[in-house]
Amino acid sequence: MPDARPLTIAQVSPFTLEAGSDVGDQAAGLARALSARGHRSLLVAPSTNAALVRETRRRLSSDPEGLLAEADGAVVTLAVGEVLAFSPTRRRADSLPLDVSRTVEEVMTTIALDVVHVHEPFAPSTASTALRHSHALNVATFHEPTERVLSTQLARPLSELLLSRLDARLASFVATRDLLARTFPGEYRILAPGVAAPPRPDLAGPRTPTRGPGRPLQIVVVAEEERAALRLILRALRGLPEQGWEATVWSARAVGAPATLSRALRERIAFIGPREASWTETVADADLVVLGSVGHRSAPFVLVHALAAGVPAIVPRLAVYEELIGESRCGIPYEPGDVETLTLRLAGLITDADRRRGLAEAAASAGATLTFDRLATEVEDVYAGLVARRFDRRPRPSAGVRAAIAARELIDVDLHMHTDHSYDCATPVEVLLATARERGLGAIAVTEHNEISGALAAAAAADGIKVIVGEEVKTATEGEVIGLFISEKIERGMTLAETVAEIKRQGGLVYVPHPFDRMHAVPDYRHLLEVLDDVDLIEVFNPRVAIPEFNAEAVRFAAKYRIPAGAGSDAHVPQGLGSVRIRMHDFNGPEEFLESLRGAEVIRTPASLIYVQTLKFLQTKALPEPARRVSRERQLRRVARKS
């Protein structure tokens, strides 16, 4: 990675540690591979082991530093909640976490994480809870190419809200990306899954086949697809010749031979489960894997493990299966549901040893890339790209300049306010300046809506107070953005990227106000990421934001990307001015301002939002124009008398 410093990374699985799910295996395997590369890896997942959950909670509350120290050489596993499994037999069954939120939040806030990598973060789950509480860079991997009706239809608004917090989206398969992108648009990077080294077969079932010359063709069916798939494959097996093959059906459920199966087939087809062998061991010792889904429920990880073990497959023409066998000719496709074609494909391979050998060589070649080491390299590249976008990676002023700034006096600064040059404010410039001086502000940023005249007037009339010329610009569709230290008016209606470029052209700073307040016009998370490299500061507190969680989300965003935190009163009436201020060292120009802001303190003075909003309404909407003119003249006379 470009940055040699190790990262602290949490891999979060929605499935229990004991479930043995494909998704959980990906999270655990990636955690081990990253740990081997020197990163601190945590594996976060629910558990059915109450003692393990209690131990995790105890360590989090009493010894979080000890947990991190353990992660220096090995993966640390955190069981964050007990679960009630919906089904004791289905290996991929979802689970319902109990009291998981409290422990997950403690993990996210107690341990200084660089990256939270969630797997299948659909609510309700441990992964979605981690995404909700994370203060780190958020990466998600979506694995299964199967639609989740609850998340995509019934709870779509909640899912969109959670997924909007992602900084990078990964997908194990193109089919998964295409499915997700239809419901949750965004950029998804395809990273093929990893597989641990194929296990040594140690089957304790009816047969313990060993690869070698002379043994019958070993056909394996892993019953992870819909039930109809197994029935289709058994029908195809009925049509095969009586010699030259044997089959094993592995299922997590108790599956026996159907009553309609003949005695001859019962002798050739073994039905086994987890007690006899794991499904990965069964696949690793096969000569051929057969899949039979008609599209209701695919099992791509069965095919992934087959290729990793150098075992070819006969698969229906489904997008995810064809993607895996690709053009390497490591598998044979057939039309979904076509029993006759499947029978012919199987019969041909029984007698054609040369073709079987060629398919196996192609499968081994394709599977050689499906390693966790390769996946860790690609994931590291994703993490590095996110970390490189942090503000603290940008050049800083020289040590001498930093020392000079640190030696200056501390002043209070309000970075967001308006005068009567904005359409929704009736505060004269003179009144604003007088109020700022009364309240002990050393500097203010005047940020009119789509106008700069008020800020220029304030800068010209300033006496004993520093004025930063700014403008709060309404973009075409992505909300508002503030330019600080600018000199020319920026027209509204451009795209966010164009507006940001114009601020930079003027040598200004890009300041994002109330970034996650969905009651304001704001850029969404995706558009904000597109201009992140040009963002200079984020407004982490705005007293006019009615829902505190919106400010908290801004705090999290600024922290994860190490962006300097700005704050301002967003005052539209004098009574609100300075209710939020930043205490920082005095500065000259934008470069010193940013450097001083790195160590600044946000100071909040309690103020009633209802009170200031009512005053704003009375001053701008309730009073007729003649009354507003009288009020303005009265304010100006009062300021004149005081001066």
Side-chain angles (χ1 to χ4, degrees):
M1 296 175 67
D3 182 5
R5 290 176 294 177
L7 301 176
T8 303
I9 307 160
Q11 302 290 333
V12 187
S13 168
F15 296 95
T16 63
L17 295 167
E18 298 80 11
S21 67
D22 301 323
V23 173
D25 291 345
Q26 290 299 301
L30 184 55
R32 289 191 297 269
L34 290 169
S35 177
R37 290 166 174 253
H39 299 289
R40 288 178 164 181
S41 286
L42 310 175
L43 177 61
V44 181
S47 174
T48 57
N49 187 330
L52 187 59
V53 173
R54 288 195 298 270
E55 176 63 14
T56 295
R57 289 175 176 169
R58 185 191 68 79
R59 294 291 304 276
L60 283 172
S61 60
S62 64
D63 190 24
E65 291 301 321
L67 283 173
L68 270 185
E70 289 179 16
D72 279 328
V75 176
V76 171
T77 300
L78 301 178
V80 293
E82 297 179 64
V83 298
L84 294 178
F86 291 153
S87 167
T89 56
R90 283 184 56 192
R91 192 172 61 85
R92 298 197 297 184
D94 290 330
S95 300
L96 178 65
L98 300 179
D99 193 28
V100 72
S101 182
R102 176 171 62 91
T103 310
V104 169
E105 183 177 9
E106 193 170 0
V107 171
M108 298 297 129
T109 55
T110 302
I111 300 176
L113 296 168
D114 292 296
V115 178
V116 171
H117 191 148
V118 292
H119 296 257
E120 303 285 34
F122 296 105
S125 70
T126 304
S128 66
T129 303
L131 191 55
R132 179 159 59 92
H133 291 295
S134 171
H135 289 222
L137 297 165
N138 297 321
V139 178
T141 297
F142 301 90
H143 299 280
E144 301 285 354
T146 304
E147 183 176 10
R148 289 164 172 77
V149 176
L150 175 63
S151 298
T152 60
Q153 297 181 25
L154 300 179
R156 183 173 176 178
L158 174 60
S159 297
E160 287 178 334
L161 178 61
L162 286 172
L163 298 186
S164 70
R165 296 181 177 180
L166 292 173
D167 301 284
R169 304 181 187 206
L170 312 178
S172 292
F173 311 105
V174 173
T176 304
R177 178 201 63 190
D178 293 345
L179 175 67
L180 265 293
R182 287 197 294 269
T183 308
F184 306 111
E187 182 179 346
Y188 295 81
R189 180 171 171 178
I190 308 301
L191 299 186
V195 177
R200 290 182 59 84
D202 185 20
L203 308 186
R207 287 189 315 279
T208 56
T210 303
R211 288 186 182 181
R215 78 166 183 170
L217 177 70
Q218 300 297 317
I219 301 171
V220 164
V221 180
V222 179
E224 286 290 293
E225 301 169 298
E226 66 267 26
R227 290 177 182 267
L230 178 57
R231 292 197 295 268
L232 182 144
I233 295 171
L234 291 177
R235 287 172 58 197
L237 293 178
R238 288 192 185 103
L240 295 182
E242 295 182 357
Q243 303 297 324
W245 65 275
E246 292 177 342
T248 301
V249 176
W250 188 98
S251 175
R253 301 182 299 272
V255 176
T260 57
L261 210 61
S262 67
R263 175 179 293 183
L265 283 177
R266 289 171 187 267
E267 294 176 354
R268 290 184 174 278
I269 304 175
F271 292 84
I272 67 173
R275 290 187 177 182
E276 290 78 26
S278 70
W279 72 273
T280 54
E281 291 172 332
T282 306
V283 166
D285 195 61
D287 295 314
L288 182 68
V289 167
V290 182
L291 295 166
S293 174
V294 294
H296 298 307
R297 180 180 174 185
S298 59
F301 280 96
V302 172
L303 183 51
V304 166
H305 278 268
L307 297 179
V311 178
I314 298 181
V315 298
R317 289 187 184 277
L318 300 180
V320 68
Y321 293 157
E322 291 196 292
E323 172 189 343
L324 284 167
I325 64 174
E327 299 179 357
S328 62
R329 303 192 183 279
C330 57
I332 302 176
Y334 67 96
E335 293 302 320
D338 188 345
V339 177
E340 290 78 11
T341 301
L342 175 57
T343 303
L344 290 173
R345 298 276 193 267
L346 287 167
L349 287 180
I350 291 173
T351 58
D352 193 341
D354 290 338
R355 190 175 187 199
R356 294 202 308 266
R357 189 178 305 108
L359 287 170
E361 291 173 355
S365 177
T369 64
L370 298 173
T371 66
F372 278 117
D373 187 60
R374 182 270 313 160
L375 179 59
T377 298
E378 295 176 345
V379 168
E380 271 190 326
D381 183 60
V382 173
Y383 297 163
L386 295 177
V387 171
R389 302 189 75 183
R390 284 175 168 169
F391 189 89
D392 57 5
R393 300 302 179 88
R394 301 184 192 180
R396 296 183 64 176
S398 65
V401 172
R402 298 201 299 269
I405 294 170
R408 293 180 188 153
E409 65 173 340
L410 292 172
I411 61 172
D412 287 353
V413 183
D414 188 336
L415 289 177
H416 191 172
M417 64 191 66
H418 302 271
T419 74
D420 56 6
H421 290 248
S422 287
Y423 70 91
D424 59 348
C425 180
T427 305
V429 170
E430 296 85 349
V431 173
L432 183 79
L433 291 171
T435 306
R437 284 192 291 267
E438 287 177 3
R439 301 197 172 178
L441 293 173
I444 59 174
V446 181
T447 55
E448 311 289 9
H449 290 293
N450 309 303
E451 185 54 70
I452 198 175
S453 57
L456 293 174
D463 182 17
I465 190 169
K466 188 170 294 184
V467 174
I468 300 171
V469 176
E471 180 184 354
E472 188 170 8
V473 187
K474 184 70 172 291
T475 65
T477 58
E478 295 98 352
E480 297 172 318
V481 64
I482 290 176
L484 299 177
F485 295 96
I486 61 175
S487 56
E488 303 171 17
K489 177 181 176 180
I490 299 173
E491 295 298 330
R492 64 176 294 171
M494 296 188 290
T495 66
L496 178 62
E498 290 170 341
T499 305
V500 167
E502 177 58 22
I503 294 171
K504 291 296 184 181
R505 185 192 68 80
Q506 295 189 33
L509 300 179
V510 176
Y511 179 28
V512 182
H514 39 71
F516 300 104
D517 182 5
R518 293 165 186 86
M519 302 176 72
H520 278 82
V522 298
D524 62 25
Y525 203 106
R526 179 166 60 90
H527 288 103
L528 194 54
L529 288 179
E530 289 174 358
V531 299
L532 182 63
D533 295 338
D534 289 318
V535 171
D536 297 297
L537 59 159
I538 294 280
E539 189 171 71
V540 299
F541 189 81
N542 182 316
R544 294 184 65 238
V545 172
I547 300 177
E549 177 58 27
F550 295 156
N551 280 325
E553 197 166 345
V555 170
R556 286 196 294 268
F557 187 87
K560 72 166 66 175
Y561 283 109
R562 315 281 172 85
I563 301 173
S569 61
D570 197 1
H572 287 67
V573 295
Q575 290 84 349
L577 191 63
S579 57
V580 176
R581 57 184 68 193
I582 297 176
R583 187 155 294 165
M584 57 193 295
H585 291 281
D586 200 357
F587 55 87
N588 293 306
E591 184 182 36
E592 291 190 0
F593 169 82
L594 269 185
E595 183 59 34
S596 179
L597 197 61
R598 288 176 184 266
E601 175 188 6
V602 177
I603 299 174
R604 297 159 50 183
T605 303
S608 170
L609 176 59
I610 296 177
Y611 172 63
V612 294
Q613 287 295 88
T614 301
L615 287 176
K616 175 188 172 184
F617 173 76
L618 291 174
Q619 293 181 17
T620 60
K621 302 293 184 182
L623 294 178
E625 181 60 32
R628 288 203 294 269
R629 286 199 298 268
V630 171
S631 175
R632 185 178 191 280
E633 292 170 358
R634 186 183 303 116
Q635 292 181 66
L636 291 174
R637 287 196 299 271
R638 189 180 300 118
V639 169
R641 285 197 302 270
K642 289 184 178 181
S643 60

